[in-house]
Amino acid sequence: MSTTFLRRARGAVVLGMAPVLALAACGSEGGSGDAAGDGSVRMLVNITDNLTQAKWEELVKPFEDESGIDVKIEGPSGQSVAESFPALLAAGTAPDVIESIVPGPDTAPEVLDLTEYEWASGTPMADLYSTDGTINVVGVGMQAQSLMYYNADLFAEAGITEPPTTWDELDDALAALAANDVATPIAFASDWATGVQVQEIWHPQQNVSTPGWQQSVADGSSTLGDQFQPVFEHVADWIEAGYTTADDVATDSGTQEANFIAGDVGVYPMGSWFSTTLAASPPDFEVGVFAPPVDDAADVPGPMGATLAFPYMVWKGTANPDGATALVEYLTTDDAAIAAQAEMDSFSREGLEPSSNEYAGMVQELSDAAPSYVVPGNQTVGDYALPVAGFNPKFTELVQGLWQGRPPADVAADLTAWYEAEKLG
Amino acid sequence: MARTTTTRRGLVSGLANGLMTLPAAAVYTGLTVVPVGYAVYYSFTQYNGIPSQAPTWVGWDNYVRIVTDPIGDLRPAAWVTLVIAVVGAFLVNGAALGLALLLRRTTPFNTFARAVMFYPHVLSALIVGFLWQAILGPQGAVNNLLENAGRSSWPFLSDPDWALVTLVGVIVWAQFGVQLVLYLAGLQAVSPELQEAARLDGANGPQVFRHVTWPALAPTVTVTIVTSILSLLKVYDVVLGLTNGGPGDATQTWAYEILAVSFANNKVGLACAQAVLLVVVAGILSFTIIALRRRAEEGAEAVG
């Protein structure tokens, strides 16, 4: 009887422990690709309509053939690479190479210092994205952020002969579009896009008024509210005039891009990556691009907001540092790899053949004409980083209040209050 | 001598039974107790979740921050969550009970209808959010139909108040299937003889429901209210798919604040404090509801 009991108990224990053992087995593999000694490199990348898994595989194939290193492409496990990387770090399964994000205050200590690598200092914008001379992220080029795509046919029909260069001219252009029954004279989109777009249209004037404004905010000589209230007032005026409606901030960027391509939108603020989308689905009207306006015509053209295209970081804890750095070196310095990435998502780079994409060509002209490149506020790396995390999500949340009738001064005050609370940690 | 043997046998039997609970206890401890313990510990620290960077003990600072809410983002989230939990629980249970009464008899149509009613719950909450966004968004199916009919579009997702109403509606649609099954099971336990006796005594349908069916359903009602409120308190996926918390912060729930704001910004200490508070609130609510429902359940026993 008791023997039967003991046998049953033993069986129950074994059966009960099976899932635990299985879980333990699942979690036993090391994070780095080389942990198992297979010489591979895991790379966490952004997956989008332009940047597909297949294109990434194709991009790294020459490197794999040349080096014998197997590159394992992984998409984000969460909503984005920015969300996934810290989670993977916490889980002990961090990838060897991380693409599409730049180091933040929390992740910077986990990223390999690339300063000692000679090739790293020669990559585009390495200085602008370095922190106290330390390079821990490298990229393949520059993506212009401050761009206003416009429907040239609608402009012509509304009697607008030249793209606007000052805020007054832009207001006049939007009024003319509205008077000509254009459904959406200027379009914004929901989620992350609202914040990015409002920042984009303000980059030039903001950096004319306060060069290095992030540092002014950080040292207390300015506030985020002071920095952004003027653009909030511009946007509030447009909302009041009906040039953009609350529906905009409930419409995702993909749909809003389709609306532009369908000819329903006069002006669409968006980064250079939109030129790739336009090239993939060319509209049946003429598209133009102009730089966001400045207050005074004497300041035209203003500085261009610019971000690092295809940023790459190497995890400090990688078991295969040589393989990981070799991969990043290949991706950021090999001509064929750079050209392949430019096809995936257009960017500009000195020495890079001009893109056959006509829209990217227009963007390139504007970038070349800009007196300087400036780091947007949502970038978390380098000497121009705001000392807070989550700037764009909070900025987006607050700025969407303008479409709900909140006064610009209140939105600006809330932005300042958020910064003051967050910088304390 | 015989008693000693019996006692020893009882002890061995008890020990064996105890041993049999060990695997389950180990799994439960490993997968629930330990993580919750860590969450409580982290809630008293400043920690970014990266193992190589040690947590810093900050005592009650995270809880103070939640209470003082210096940037005014947690109170609105608490309010949105309260609205979803209270209004949602009322609607979920109302809809589930009403449909359960309609579908209680087993017929081919009712069997098919039950499956249809339960179907939304099978879908991933995230998919439900995206699905309804495609239906109710500014350029969704409904607004396209309205515009084609010459009507102005409806701000289901672009107006803060309407977005919250829409969110509650979508959550109810997605969640009432489970409660429906519970009510159907509860109705099976209601004595047909008692209902028949009440009818013979001259009671009409509503009277039979009020005096016989409803009291007999009391234990089921307690379970459904508690389970629905608990699931509504931690609504996150639907929010992500439907509104992503917008417009502005109009539909940001407490769980959204934890997962999409605090965790996303690597504020693991603060997120854990928010999660601990959510567990405490859920516990208080659950025990309060159970205590309040005890008398009703005693009445149910009397009916049974």
Side-chain angles (χ1 to χ4, degrees), chain B residues 24-208:
Chain B
V27 171
Y28 180 77
T29 304
L31 299 182
T32 305
V33 177
V34 171
V36 168
Y38 268 107
V40 173
Y41 163 65
Y42 287 141
S43 75
F44 292 102
T45 67
Q46 187 178 51
Y47 183 44
N48 59 17
I50 297 171
S52 61
Q53 299 171 43
T56 309
W57 184 264
V58 293
W60 292 95
D61 284 7
N62 290 321
Y63 292 95
V64 170
R65 172 162 177 165
I66 291 168
V67 173
T68 55
D69 194 16
I71 49 178
D73 56 349
L74 296 177
R75 284 193 196 95
W79 168 249
V80 167
T81 307
L82 184 72
V83 168
I84 290 171
V86 174
V87 178
F90 180 78
L91 293 175
V92 162
N93 286 284
L97 178 57
L99 284 161
L101 289 167
L102 288 173
L103 304 172
R104 63 198 295 190
R105 288 191 179 79
T106 308
T107 65
F109 174 78
N110 282 1
T111 306
F112 170 73
R114 288 176 192 180
V116 169
M117 299 298 171
F118 189 75
Y119 175 72
H121 190 76
V122 176
L123 293 172
S124 148
L126 200 60
I127 299 299
V128 166
F130 287 131
L131 176 72
W132 282 100
Q133 187 190 51
I135 295 169
L136 299 174
Q139 292 175 250
V142 172
N143 278 320
N144 272 331
L145 286 171
L146 286 169
E147 281 175 28
N148 290 339
R151 305 282 179 87
S152 55
S153 62
W154 203 261
F156 294 108
L157 300 178
S158 51
D159 174 81
D161 295 334
W162 270 107
L164 184 53
V165 169
T166 304
L167 177 64
V168 171
V170 169
I171 290 166
V172 169
W173 179 83
Q175 292 210 349
F176 82 93
V178 169
Q179 315 304 324
L180 171 67
V181 170
L182 290 171
Y183 280 117
L184 284 168
L187 286 169
Q188 304 297 319
V190 179
S191 163
E193 291 82 5
L194 269 178
Q195 292 174 314
E196 188 60 28
R199 282 194 198 91
L200 288 172
D201 287 341
N204 58 24
Q207 287 173 323
V208 172

Side-chain angles (χ1 to χ4, degrees), chain A residues 23 32 79 116 239 272 285 287 295-296 330 354 396:
Chain A
L23 280 170
S32 175
Q79 276 198 93
E116 65 184 80
I239 294 163
S272 61
F285 55 84
V287 174
D295 289 341
D296 188 341
Y330 166 78
T396 298

Side-chain angles (χ1 to χ4, degrees), chain A residues 5 8 12-13 16 20 79 86 89-90 106 109-110 191 246-247 250-251 255 259 390 394 397 400 404 417-418 421-422 425, chain B residues 13 16 20 23 27 31 46 48-53 65 71 73 138-139 157-158 160 240 244 247-249 252 265-267:
Chain A
F5 257 124
R8 279 187 191 168
V13 168
V20 179
Q79 276 198 93
L89 276 171
D106 294 316
E110 308 300 317
D191 301 334
D247 279 355
T251 304
T255 304
N259 290 338
K394 192 66 190 181
E397 177 198 306
Q400 284 185 352
Q404 315 305 335
W418 171 80
E422 288 300 306
Chain B
S13 170
M20 286 184 187
V27 171
L31 299 182
Q46 187 178 51
N48 59 17
I50 297 171
S52 61
Q53 299 171 43
R65 172 162 177 165
I71 49 178
D73 56 349
Q139 292 175 250
L157 300 178
S158 51
L240 206 64
N244 201 15
D249 62 352
Q252 287 185 10
N265 292 332
N266 303 327
K267 295 185 182 302

